[in-house]
């Protein structure tokens, strides 16, 4: 009855008289109370009821037990009875069980708009007075007293901790206890934690159910989100405009987003293992577009602050403070940590970043590669090029592949960002989205024993010319090798093995290298690809003193070019016309195009261009030198190595000796067997 006729409660009549005259003078009966409640949660602060009226309404709802029994509010009962009959008919009444059931079914097709609006009005007050949530009060009262310095009557607005607008502050304390224990033993009771999570899940539905956000963000909601009224849209809008929010609102939204990232009850998509799984599969064909959009939206929001990515924050926060304190956005933090990891790798030092943080850094880099929208700095730098060259490409890695294919035509700003992108991607195959996607089956078939996915490219390049190797994967692998051989900084293995020898023999070439720029920049990029690699190959062929590990790396570079001429930028450029003229029908791989050129050079010495002939002649000598370093891969190569060896006569003698020895043993065993057979016949 109290909810049917508010005039039966003199406190409400007294506290809300002016507000009734101002906002609800044309409404009567239970609709009058509903009108006042609507003006409690309006976005415009000037159209809200006074704090005296708010307190009076809270007391009325508390006194009438509207939070415990949904039938007390006649408007709620009228609007939600059909929904209750449909989805909550088996729910036992009392202790807000039916209200909680309705909240759980907000997304149900059975939920009506009228019921949802009435339900959220009641929940607005429940979120601000915990006695209206009997399950929460029942299971958390003792913990509130023990851990949040609460009086035993912590639900009492008159005696408990409160501020002028929000009432008791016990629930935020309990929530922090439940979510910020940093791996320590959880002091709260399991039932209390369960109810806190349930309450937070319900509160996450609307900004109006989150007092800490709503009270600080009313102006920003009006400014940025006036048309956002659907479930969750207001919070998404605030998150999208995070950098433009008032400081108090910014801090409140940031705190909520950090909690949302780490707690599944506040977000249907949590940022733990489930989120990682969803991100890995978001571009799969059977993922619904709306799910994909929701995942990517949260990824974009998380770019604003690394604290929004729960597992990354937990693994890397100490190292961010130590190494990257000046970085602001998450991408800047990831880039900073990635550079430290890369420097440790190419110098051979022990990693200063621990394994769990390195794993999270790789995960974030991999996410950046999946969509250019997750790399806003690159997207902004290459906006013109994206519109010009890649406008028809989808986001799932294809856009970045497109940009890489137009390297020589990119503007300065875009090219600098792409250089940083390629240097990072080519340093670690575990962050190469396209390679992992297109070569998944080939990796399983040929590289399943490779424990480190960061070395996947090194493994796949060994098998790329196998007859059953997937052509799409083959194309990606070859493109990566071509890119890697255009600048020694794209090849950490080469830097690690040959760093000293590069400084010793190739310092003049290195001196021309500019930061974030392929050697000598755009003007001479076509003439300077692979100059450090070429310097090392020349030193290798001349027989100078270089480290053993470096010899192996250089020999591998030469062997890769022997298998596919495209991987050798200088040779391919010198012979591009002759390839087109004489070998255009020859399939690449397995050294076929190189053999074609060699046959033309041997049969028609003057037919090919002079530069191609000179380069090819030098390469043939390099191939011979490389073969001496690398182990033979098949019987034919083994025979050739033996024949070409200065000690081939010795090997022949040893081989004949072994053959003769086994022949002698076989002959003796035959005689013994024959003798035993005759004795048996006797």
């Amino acid at each position: 009855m109290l909810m049917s006729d508010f005039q039966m409660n003199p406190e409400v009549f007294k506290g809300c008289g002016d507000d009734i005259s101002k906002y609800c003078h044309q409404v009567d009966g239970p609709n009058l109370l509903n009108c006042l409640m609507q003006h409690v949660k309006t976005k415009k602060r000037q159209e809200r009821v006074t704090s005296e009226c708010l307190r009076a309404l809270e007391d009325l709802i508390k006194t009438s037990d509207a939070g415990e029994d949904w039938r007390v509010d006649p408007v709620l009962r009228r609007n939600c009875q059909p929904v209750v009959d449909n989805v909550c008919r088996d729910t036992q009444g009392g202790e807000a069980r039916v209200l909680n059931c309705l909240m759980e079914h907000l997304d149900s097709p059975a939920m009506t708009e009228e019921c949802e609006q009435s339900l959220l009005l009641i929940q607005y007050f429940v979120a601000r007075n915990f006695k209206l949530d009997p399950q929460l009060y029942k299971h958390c009262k003792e913990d509130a007293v023990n851990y949040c310095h609460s009086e035993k009557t912590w639900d009492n607005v008159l005696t408990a901790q409160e501020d002028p607008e929000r009432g008791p502050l016990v629930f935020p304390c309990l929530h922090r206890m439940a979510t910020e224990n940093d791996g320590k033993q959880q002091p709260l009771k399991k039932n209390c934690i369960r109810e806190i999570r349930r309450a937070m899940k319900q509160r996450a539905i609307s900004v109006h159910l989150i007092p800490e956000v709503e009270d600080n963000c009313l102006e920003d909601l009006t400014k940025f989100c006036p048309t956002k009224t659907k479930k969750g849209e207001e919070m998404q809008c605030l998150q999208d405009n995070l950098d433009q929010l008032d400081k108090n609102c910014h801090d409140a939204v940031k705190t909520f987003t950090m909690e949302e990232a780490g707690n599944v009850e506040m977000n249907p998509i949590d940022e733990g293992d489930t989120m990682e799984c969803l991100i890995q599969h978001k571009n799969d064909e059977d993922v619904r577009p709306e799910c994909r959009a929701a995942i990517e939206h949260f990824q974009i929001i998380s770019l604003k602050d690394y604290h929004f990515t729960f597992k990354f924050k937990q693994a890397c926060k100490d190292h961010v403070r130590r190494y990257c304190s000046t970085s602001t956005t998450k991408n800047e933090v990831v880039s900073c940590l990635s550079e430290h990891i890369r420097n440790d790798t190419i110098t051979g030092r022990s990693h200063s970043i621990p394994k769990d943080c390195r794993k999270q850094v790789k995960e974030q880099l991999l996410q950046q590669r999946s969509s250019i929208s997750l790399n806003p700095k690159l997207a902004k730098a290459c906006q013109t090029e994206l519109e010009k060259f890649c406008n028809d490409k989808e986001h799932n890695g294809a856009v970045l592949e497109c940009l890489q294919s137009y390297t020589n035509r990119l503007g300065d700003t875009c090219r600098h960002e792409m250089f940083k992108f390629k240097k990072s991607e080519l340093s670690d195959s575990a962050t190469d989205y396209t390679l992992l996607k297109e070569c998944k089956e080939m990796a399983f078939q040929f590289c399943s024993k490779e424990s480190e996915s960061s070395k996947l490219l090194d493994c796949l390049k060994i098998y790329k010319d196998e007859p059953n190797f997937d052509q799409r994967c083959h194309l990606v692998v070859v493109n990566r090798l071509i890119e890697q051989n255009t600048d020694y900084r794209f090849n950490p293995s080469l830097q690690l093995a040959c760093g000293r020898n590069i400084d010793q023999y190739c310092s003049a070439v290195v001196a021309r290298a500019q930061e974030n720029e392929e050697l000598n920049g755009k003007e001479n990029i076509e003439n300077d690809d692979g100059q450090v690699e070429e310097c090392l190959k020349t030193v290798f062929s001349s027989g100078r003193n270089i480290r053993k590990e470096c010899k192996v790396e250089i020999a591998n570079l030469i062997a890769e070019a022997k298998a596919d001429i495209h991987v050798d930028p200088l040779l391919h450029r010198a012979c591009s016309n002759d390839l087109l003229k004489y070998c255009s029908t020859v399939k690449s791989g397995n050294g076929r195009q190189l053999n074609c050129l060699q046959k033309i050079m041997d049969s028609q010495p003057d037919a090919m261009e002079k530069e191609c002939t000179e380069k090819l002649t030098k390469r043939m000598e390099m191939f011979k030198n490389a073969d001496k370093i690398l182990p033979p891969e098949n019987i034919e190569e083994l025979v050739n190595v033996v024949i070409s060896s200065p000690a081939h006569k010795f090997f022949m003698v040893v081989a004949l000796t072994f053959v003769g020895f086994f022949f002698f043993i076989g002959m003796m065993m035959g005689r013994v067997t024959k003798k035993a057979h005759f004795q048996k016949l006797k």
Side-chain angles (χ1 to χ4, degrees):
M1 290 297 294
L2 288 175
M3 294 288 288
S4 300
D5 188 356
F6 79 96
Q7 294 189 39
M8 293 181 64
N9 189 317
E11 295 298 326
V12 176
F13 184 74
K14 178 182 177 182
C16 298
D18 293 339
D19 296 295
I20 293 170
S21 301
K22 189 174 182 180
Y23 305 120
C24 306
H25 58 278
Q26 296 180 341
V27 184
D28 57 12
N31 292 325
L32 179 57
L33 183 60
N34 189 264
C35 172
L36 288 173
M37 292 169 69
Q38 290 283 1
H39 281 274
V40 166
K41 60 188 287 290
T42 182
K43 289 181 182 178
K44 297 181 179 180
R45 193 180 294 274
Q46 63 271 23
E47 295 182 7
R48 289 197 161 198
V49 299
T50 61
S51 58
E52 292 81 7
C53 182
L54 175 61
R55 289 287 179 255
L57 290 172
E58 287 179 347
D59 288 341
L60 174 63
I61 293 173
K62 180 179 178 181
T63 304
S64 64
D65 284 334
E68 182 168 347
D69 190 342
W70 69 284
R71 295 169 297 183
V72 170
D73 183 347
V75 177
L76 179 65
R77 184 176 68 245
R78 181 185 67 217
N79 291 337
C80 292
Q81 185 69 59
V83 182
V84 172
D85 292 341
N86 190 350
V87 296
C88 302
R89 58 181 177 272
D90 297 327
T91 303
Q92 183 180 355
E95 294 190 334
R97 295 188 186 92
V98 175
L99 282 175
N100 288 334
C101 173
L102 288 171
M103 290 295 291
E104 291 295 325
H105 288 85
L106 273 179
D107 289 328
S108 169
M111 179 59 64
T112 64
E113 184 177 351
E114 295 80 8
C115 178
E116 180 176 336
Q117 291 178 355
S118 300
L119 184 62
L120 292 180
L121 280 179
I122 290 294
Q123 289 298 320
Y124 179 90
F125 290 93
V126 172
R128 287 156 176 78
N129 192 324
F130 311 111
K131 183 60 170 70
L132 297 178
D133 191 331
Q135 292 289 339
L136 178 67
Y137 179 73
K138 175 182 177 181
H139 293 293
C140 293
K141 179 179 180 179
E142 186 177 341
D143 286 332
V145 173
N146 292 336
Y147 302 113
C148 296
H149 308 290
S150 170
E151 300 291 338
K152 291 187 178 181
T153 54
W154 65 285
D155 63 292
N156 192 324
V157 177
L158 298 177
T159 61
Q161 300 96 326
E162 61 179 309
D163 63 20
E165 296 296 329
R166 288 184 294 165
L169 297 176
V170 176
F171 183 75
C173 168
L174 288 171
H175 181 246
R176 285 193 297 272
M177 292 288 294
T179 59
E180 298 181 5
N181 59 326
D182 287 331
K184 300 176 184 177
Q185 185 175 359
Q186 179 56 254
L188 302 184
K189 294 183 178 65
K190 290 183 179 180
N191 288 340
C192 179
I193 294 173
R194 184 193 68 227
E195 291 303 319
I196 290 171
R197 289 176 175 171
R198 187 264 308 161
M200 288 307 301
K201 180 179 179 180
Q202 293 179 358
R203 290 176 67 174
I205 291 170
S206 171
V207 166
H208 300 294
L209 303 185
I210 313 170
E212 299 84 357
V213 174
E214 191 210 37
D215 291 347
N216 288 299
C217 295
L218 275 179
E219 284 75 14
D220 287 321
L221 280 168
T222 303
K223 182 178 180 181
F224 298 110
C225 317
T227 62
K228 305 297 183 181
T229 57
K230 294 182 180 179
K231 177 184 174 182
E233 283 189 345
E234 289 174 319
M235 180 56 73
Q236 285 191 1
C237 174
L238 290 174
Q239 290 171 331
D240 288 339
N241 293 281
L242 184 66
D243 296 335
Q244 304 177 62
L245 302 180
D246 173 77
K247 184 180 185 305
N248 291 336
C249 180
H250 174 279
D251 293 345
V253 174
K254 178 178 177 180
T255 299
F256 175 84
T257 306
M258 289 168 59
E259 294 171 351
E260 182 184 37
N263 297 280
V264 66
E265 68 274 5
M266 297 173 64
N267 186 355
I269 302 172
D270 71 289
E271 187 69 0
D273 295 332
T274 306
M275 186 57 164
E276 285 187 358
C277 176
L278 286 171
I279 288 172
Q280 290 171 7
H281 295 282
K282 71 173 183 178
N283 290 318
D284 290 357
E285 293 181 359
D286 54 348
V287 174
R288 292 180 293 115
E290 54 269 29
C291 178
R292 185 181 299 115
I295 296 169
E296 191 148 313
H297 173 268
F298 197 85
Q299 287 182 278
I300 292 172
I301 293 301
S302 73
L303 297 178
K304 298 177 184 292
D305 194 311
Y306 82 92
H307 293 89
F308 295 167
T309 308
F310 180 72
K311 295 187 75 174
F312 179 78
K313 178 192 73 173
Q314 292 297 97
C316 298
K317 57 186 177 182
D318 293 337
H319 313 288
V320 173
R321 285 194 289 265
R322 182 175 180 182
Y323 299 113
C324 310
S325 58
T326 59
S327 301
T328 53
T329 66
K330 185 174 77 172
N331 276 1
E332 290 177 358
V333 170
V334 171
S335 178
C336 170
L337 292 176
S338 175
E339 191 67 19
H340 276 82
I341 295 170
R342 185 177 185 278
N343 289 339
D344 289 342
T345 300
I346 63 178
T347 56
R349 296 193 301 258
S350 298
H351 279 289
S352 55
I353 309 296
K355 185 176 181 179
D356 56 343
C357 181
R358 295 202 305 272
K359 178 183 177 182
Q360 288 301 317
V361 170
K362 290 182 180 182
E363 180 66 31
Q364 297 306 313
L365 289 171
L366 181 61
Q367 291 179 28
Q368 289 180 20
R369 273 56 168 173
S370 68
S371 173
I372 196 168
S373 60
L374 300 179
N375 195 334
K377 190 174 182 180
L378 177 62
K380 182 178 180 181
C382 298
Q383 183 176 356
T384 302
E385 288 81 359
L386 287 170
E387 294 174 356
K388 184 176 181 180
F389 303 123
C390 310
N391 199 33
D392 60 335
K393 303 297 181 182
E394 296 182 0
H395 279 295
N396 53 344
V399 175
L400 292 167
E401 292 298 307
C402 172
L403 283 176
Q404 291 190 73
S405 68
Y406 286 96
T407 296
N408 294 345
R409 300 175 65 182
L410 301 179
D412 291 346
T413 305
C414 179
R415 194 176 65 258
H416 293 165
E417 287 301 317
M418 281 302 297
F419 178 89
K420 291 188 284 187
F421 170 82
K422 289 192 288 187
K423 187 170 74 168
S424 173
E425 181 181 63
L426 292 168
S427 297
D428 190 340
S429 297
T431 68
D432 190 333
Y433 175 81
T434 301
L435 181 71
L436 295 177
K437 178 186 175 185
E438 298 295 344
C439 297
K440 184 177 180 180
E441 293 183 8
M442 296 299 98
F444 178 78
Q445 183 174 344
F446 295 107
C447 306
S448 57
K449 295 182 180 180
E450 179 62 57
S451 58
E452 293 187 38
S453 57
S454 59
K455 302 291 185 182
L456 181 60
L457 180 61
D458 292 336
C459 174
L460 289 173
K461 70 184 182 183
I462 298 173
Y463 301 99
K464 65 181 175 62
D465 293 319
E466 292 292 322
N468 59 338
F469 201 88
D470 181 75
Q471 286 303 305
R472 290 181 302 177
C473 178
H474 179 274
L475 180 62
V476 174
V477 172
V478 171
N479 284 338
R480 293 297 182 267
L481 294 177
I482 293 172
E483 289 288 345
Q484 200 170 60
N485 289 335
T486 59
D487 195 303
Y488 77 103
R489 290 169 291 183
F490 294 160
N491 192 335
S493 298
L494 184 68
Q495 286 182 275
L496 176 61
C498 299
R500 296 177 186 174
N501 298 127
I502 290 174
D503 294 338
Q504 184 178 2
Y505 298 115
C506 308
S507 56
V509 181
V510 173
R512 299 203 303 268
Q514 301 176 20
E515 185 179 5
N516 298 334
E517 183 75 79
E518 293 182 34
L519 279 170
N520 264 10
K522 182 178 179 181
E523 293 75 20
N524 296 315
I525 194 169
E526 294 187 354
N527 298 320
D528 287 313
D529 285 353
Q531 285 292 331
V532 171
E533 290 83 349
E534 186 69 12
C535 169
L536 288 172
K537 291 175 184 177
T538 303
V539 171
F540 173 80
S541 297
S542 65
R544 296 188 193 180
N545 184 29
I546 57 178
R547 300 175 66 198
K548 182 179 179 180
E549 310 93 279
C550 185
K551 284 184 179 180
V552 173
E553 282 298 322
I554 298 171
N556 280 322
L557 284 179
I558 295 171
E560 290 167 11
K562 183 179 180 181
D564 195 324
I565 192 173
H566 296 86
V567 175
D568 188 333
L570 296 181
L571 179 61
H572 182 258
R573 188 179 302 118
C575 296
S576 57
N577 292 334
D578 292 311
L579 276 172
L580 187 62
K581 186 175 181 180
Y582 300 110
C583 308
S584 59
T585 60
V586 178
K587 189 177 180 181
S588 63
N590 268 337
R592 287 183 285 263
Q593 291 184 333
L594 200 63
N595 288 335
C596 172
L597 289 176
Q598 188 176 2
K599 289 178 181 178
I600 298 296
M601 186 176 69
D602 293 340
S603 61
Q604 306 176 50
D606 298 328
M608 294 168 53
E609 293 183 2
K610 182 180 179 181
E611 184 182 6
C612 178
T613 302
E614 292 176 352
K615 289 284 185 187
L616 188 57
T617 302
K618 290 182 179 179
R619 287 298 187 267
M620 294 303 169
E621 188 63 30
M622 287 183 183
F623 296 152
K624 293 179 182 179
N625 293 329
D627 289 340
K628 297 175 184 178
I629 300 296
L630 298 176
E633 296 183 358
N634 51 51
I635 296 296
E636 182 181 355
E637 289 187 4
L638 178 61
V639 172
N640 290 333
V641 168
V642 172
I643 293 174
S644 60
S645 171
H648 65 276
K649 292 183 179 179
F650 170 76
F651 287 121
M652 291 294 291
V653 170
V654 172
L656 290 173
T657 301
F658 270 106
V659 171
F661 175 75
F662 282 111
F663 178 76
F664 176 76
I665 293 296
M667 187 172 62
M668 294 299 295
M669 291 297 295
R671 288 186 175 184
V672 171
T673 304
K674 188 175 181 181
K675 184 176 180 181
H677 178 69
F678 279 122
Q679 288 179 347
K680 188 175 182 181
L681 291 176
K682 290 179 180 180

